[in-house]
Amino acid sequence: MIDTDRAAGARHALVAELRDRGKILSGAVERAFRRVPRERFMPGDTEFAMAYGYDNSVVIKRDGQGRALSSVSAAYIQAVMLEMAQLRPGMTVLEIGSGGLNAAYIAEVVGPEGRVVSIDIDPEVIDRAAVALDATGYSSRVHVLVADAQHGVPDEGPFDAIIVTVGAWDIAPVWLTQLRPEGMLVVPLVMNNVTRVIAFRRDGDHLASTATEVAGFVAMQGDGARADDLVELPDPTGGTVRLSFDSGAPSDLGQLSGVLAAGATESWSQVAIANGVSFADLHLWFAWFLGGFCRLSADDGTDVAASKRWLPFATVRGAGLAYLILRDAPGGAEFGARAYGRDGQLAADALNEQVQAWHRSGRHTTPTFAYRPNGRDASPIPADAAVMSKTHGVLTITWPTSS
């Protein structure tokens, strides 16, 4: 039995925190968060503190290896994405990646005159969402169905907004076909293994970002899925270190054979970060500008896992591997590199050089993004924009000069 008074109190407390942190900006989104019973869309054993935590995501389904396949997103990113979408009463909205809760929020914002279509590739996820929406009184306002988002939603649309709640490596052409010319696309876009939620609006023949937010999402399934190139390196302890390349993996990764055997060296960038200050944009900078960039993971007991204050961002240079580390500095921490292999110093230098470049040119500015579908004129791309090729188009980032 749910304590309705406690639930109402938890909703109001969550709204107050989201307001204070600048994630809820509008009265419409605030009302949605006050009205929708968040706990009713969670597994029955979910604790109240977890259901109503500011940045807690709750996994709904895992695969046989324990990887999350479906989850309820953290409250802060749900609020941000609703604000990004600039929803209004009467709109027709497509949600890609279902669960029920976010669709209920959307239904509250667009009102009885609006229409919400929520799709997922997994019938089990859709069935669960349908049950929760029915139990909370939203089933008449949200149409849920099984579909592979890569192919759109036949017989639906056009949509005033499309909100994607799974990590997408690219923008499916059909999304733009089904989006109204003035519509908003809000999508967690994966860029070389680093994700940003980006709100896009059409600007002539391309999409231009209007807002961005840091968040992570479960990966898209179906025909829009993208598999990383995975390299496994044996550690002398018997464990394994894994390198995951989104794209642009070095051609001769065989040079890394035995790279972990000779021990590590460390070098430092002379760039520090204060305690409590986010450096998420450094990861994004690496994804765009650090050649040989990859995500790194390590089994417990390996030399990597035993090292202090390491982060899962690495680069490969020839027969060298280096990953990002931190050490204490006055009031915070200094960035550095821990390196292995014959070319380890080259890899460490490359990583530290990009830390320094981010510090000079990107640290105190906010980048903007643009997306040009294939077949569009690329000549208007600004000279200071970096370019990343996707399957269906070209993504660019422009990092304004730091003042």
Short mmCIF file of all heavy atoms in Angstrom, two decimals, residues 235-258:
data_model
loop_
_atom_site.label_atom_id
_atom_site.label_comp_id
_atom_site.label_asym_id
_atom_site.label_seq_id
_atom_site.Cartn_x
_atom_site.Cartn_y
_atom_site.Cartn_z
N ASP A 235 45.99 -8.61 -18.39
CA ASP A 235 46.82 -8.00 -17.37
C ASP A 235 47.68 -9.08 -16.72
O ASP A 235 47.26 -10.25 -16.62
CB ASP A 235 45.93 -7.35 -16.31
CG ASP A 235 46.72 -6.59 -15.26
OD1 ASP A 235 47.02 -5.42 -15.51
OD2 ASP A 235 47.02 -7.18 -14.21
N PRO A 236 48.91 -8.77 -16.30
CA PRO A 236 49.77 -9.79 -15.66
C PRO A 236 49.13 -10.47 -14.46
O PRO A 236 49.52 -11.57 -14.09
CB PRO A 236 51.01 -9.00 -15.26
CG PRO A 236 51.07 -7.87 -16.24
CD PRO A 236 49.64 -7.50 -16.50
N THR A 237 48.15 -9.83 -13.84
CA THR A 237 47.49 -10.43 -12.67
C THR A 237 46.52 -11.54 -13.06
O THR A 237 46.01 -12.24 -12.19
CB THR A 237 46.71 -9.36 -11.90
OG1 THR A 237 45.66 -8.84 -12.74
CG2 THR A 237 47.61 -8.23 -11.46
N GLY A 238 46.23 -11.66 -14.34
CA GLY A 238 45.25 -12.63 -14.80
C GLY A 238 43.91 -12.02 -15.17
O GLY A 238 43.06 -12.68 -15.76
N GLY A 239 43.70 -10.75 -14.84
CA GLY A 239 42.48 -10.05 -15.22
C GLY A 239 42.57 -9.48 -16.61
O GLY A 239 43.52 -9.73 -17.37
N THR A 240 41.56 -8.68 -16.97
CA THR A 240 41.47 -8.12 -18.32
C THR A 240 41.16 -6.64 -18.26
O THR A 240 40.36 -6.19 -17.44
CB THR A 240 40.37 -8.84 -19.12
OG1 THR A 240 40.67 -10.24 -19.18
CG2 THR A 240 40.28 -8.28 -20.54
N VAL A 241 41.82 -5.89 -19.13
CA VAL A 241 41.52 -4.47 -19.36
C VAL A 241 40.90 -4.37 -20.74
O VAL A 241 41.39 -4.96 -21.70
CB VAL A 241 42.80 -3.61 -19.27
CG1 VAL A 241 42.52 -2.17 -19.67
CG2 VAL A 241 43.36 -3.67 -17.86
N ARG A 242 39.79 -3.62 -20.85
CA ARG A 242 39.04 -3.54 -22.10
C ARG A 242 39.06 -2.11 -22.64
O ARG A 242 38.83 -1.15 -21.90
CB ARG A 242 37.61 -4.01 -21.89
CG ARG A 242 37.53 -5.46 -21.46
CD ARG A 242 36.14 -5.85 -20.98
NE ARG A 242 36.16 -7.22 -20.46
CZ ARG A 242 36.51 -7.52 -19.21
NH1 ARG A 242 36.85 -6.54 -18.36
NH2 ARG A 242 36.51 -8.77 -18.79
N LEU A 243 39.29 -2.00 -23.93
CA LEU A 243 39.23 -0.73 -24.64
C LEU A 243 38.06 -0.78 -25.61
O LEU A 243 37.95 -1.72 -26.40
CB LEU A 243 40.53 -0.47 -25.41
CG LEU A 243 41.84 -0.60 -24.64
CD1 LEU A 243 43.02 -0.28 -25.56
CD2 LEU A 243 41.85 0.30 -23.41
N SER A 244 37.21 0.22 -25.53
CA SER A 244 36.02 0.26 -26.38
C SER A 244 36.10 1.47 -27.30
O SER A 244 36.14 2.61 -26.83
CB SER A 244 34.77 0.34 -25.50
OG SER A 244 33.60 0.34 -26.26
N PHE A 245 36.12 1.21 -28.62
CA PHE A 245 36.23 2.27 -29.62
C PHE A 245 34.89 2.43 -30.33
O PHE A 245 34.35 1.49 -30.90
CB PHE A 245 37.30 1.92 -30.66
CG PHE A 245 38.70 1.87 -30.11
CD1 PHE A 245 39.21 0.70 -29.57
CD2 PHE A 245 39.51 3.00 -30.14
CE1 PHE A 245 40.51 0.64 -29.08
CE2 PHE A 245 40.80 2.96 -29.64
CZ PHE A 245 41.30 1.78 -29.10
N ASP A 246 34.37 3.63 -30.30
CA ASP A 246 33.13 3.95 -31.00
C ASP A 246 33.37 3.96 -32.51
O ASP A 246 32.65 3.36 -33.28
CB ASP A 246 32.64 5.31 -30.51
CG ASP A 246 31.46 5.87 -31.27
OD1 ASP A 246 31.54 5.96 -32.51
OD2 ASP A 246 30.47 6.25 -30.63
N SER A 247 34.39 4.66 -32.92
CA SER A 247 34.75 4.76 -34.34
C SER A 247 36.20 5.24 -34.40
O SER A 247 36.75 5.75 -33.43
CB SER A 247 33.83 5.75 -35.07
OG SER A 247 33.85 7.02 -34.45
N GLY A 248 36.81 5.06 -35.54
CA GLY A 248 38.17 5.54 -35.71
C GLY A 248 39.19 4.79 -34.92
O GLY A 248 40.21 5.35 -34.49
N ALA A 249 38.96 3.49 -34.67
CA ALA A 249 39.95 2.70 -33.94
C ALA A 249 41.24 2.62 -34.75
O ALA A 249 41.21 2.51 -35.98
CB ALA A 249 39.42 1.29 -33.68
N PRO A 250 42.40 2.70 -34.10
CA PRO A 250 43.67 2.56 -34.82
C PRO A 250 43.70 1.27 -35.63
O PRO A 250 43.15 0.24 -35.21
CB PRO A 250 44.72 2.55 -33.70
CG PRO A 250 44.07 3.31 -32.58
CD PRO A 250 42.61 2.97 -32.66
N SER A 251 44.37 1.31 -36.77
CA SER A 251 44.33 0.17 -37.70
C SER A 251 45.12 -1.03 -37.21
O SER A 251 44.80 -2.16 -37.56
CB SER A 251 44.85 0.61 -39.08
OG SER A 251 46.18 1.10 -38.97
N ASP A 252 46.15 -0.79 -36.40
CA ASP A 252 46.99 -1.90 -35.97
C ASP A 252 46.99 -2.01 -34.45
O ASP A 252 47.99 -1.73 -33.78
CB ASP A 252 48.43 -1.73 -36.49
CG ASP A 252 49.27 -2.98 -36.24
OD1 ASP A 252 48.70 -4.01 -35.81
OD2 ASP A 252 50.49 -2.93 -36.47
N LEU A 253 45.85 -2.43 -33.91
CA LEU A 253 45.75 -2.58 -32.47
C LEU A 253 46.54 -3.78 -31.97
O LEU A 253 46.74 -3.95 -30.77
CB LEU A 253 44.28 -2.71 -32.06
CG LEU A 253 43.48 -1.41 -32.19
CD1 LEU A 253 42.00 -1.68 -32.01
CD2 LEU A 253 43.95 -0.37 -31.18
N GLY A 254 47.01 -4.62 -32.90
CA GLY A 254 47.85 -5.75 -32.51
C GLY A 254 49.14 -5.31 -31.84
O GLY A 254 49.76 -6.11 -31.11
N GLN A 255 49.55 -4.07 -32.06
CA GLN A 255 50.76 -3.57 -31.40
C GLN A 255 50.62 -3.48 -29.89
O GLN A 255 51.62 -3.38 -29.17
CB GLN A 255 51.12 -2.18 -31.95
CG GLN A 255 51.55 -2.15 -33.40
CD GLN A 255 52.02 -0.75 -33.78
OE1 GLN A 255 53.11 -0.32 -33.40
NE2 GLN A 255 51.21 -0.04 -34.54
N LEU A 256 49.38 -3.54 -29.40
CA LEU A 256 49.16 -3.45 -27.97
C LEU A 256 49.35 -4.78 -27.25
O LEU A 256 49.22 -4.84 -26.02
CB LEU A 256 47.75 -2.92 -27.69
CG LEU A 256 47.45 -1.49 -28.12
CD1 LEU A 256 46.01 -1.13 -27.82
CD2 LEU A 256 48.40 -0.50 -27.46
N SER A 257 49.66 -5.82 -27.98
CA SER A 257 49.89 -7.13 -27.35
C SER A 257 50.97 -7.02 -26.28
O SER A 257 52.08 -6.54 -26.53
CB SER A 257 50.29 -8.16 -28.40
OG SER A 257 50.57 -9.40 -27.80
N GLY A 258 50.63 -7.42 -25.05
CA GLY A 258 51.58 -7.37 -23.95
C GLY A 258 51.86 -5.99 -23.41
O GLY A 258 52.81 -5.82 -22.63
#
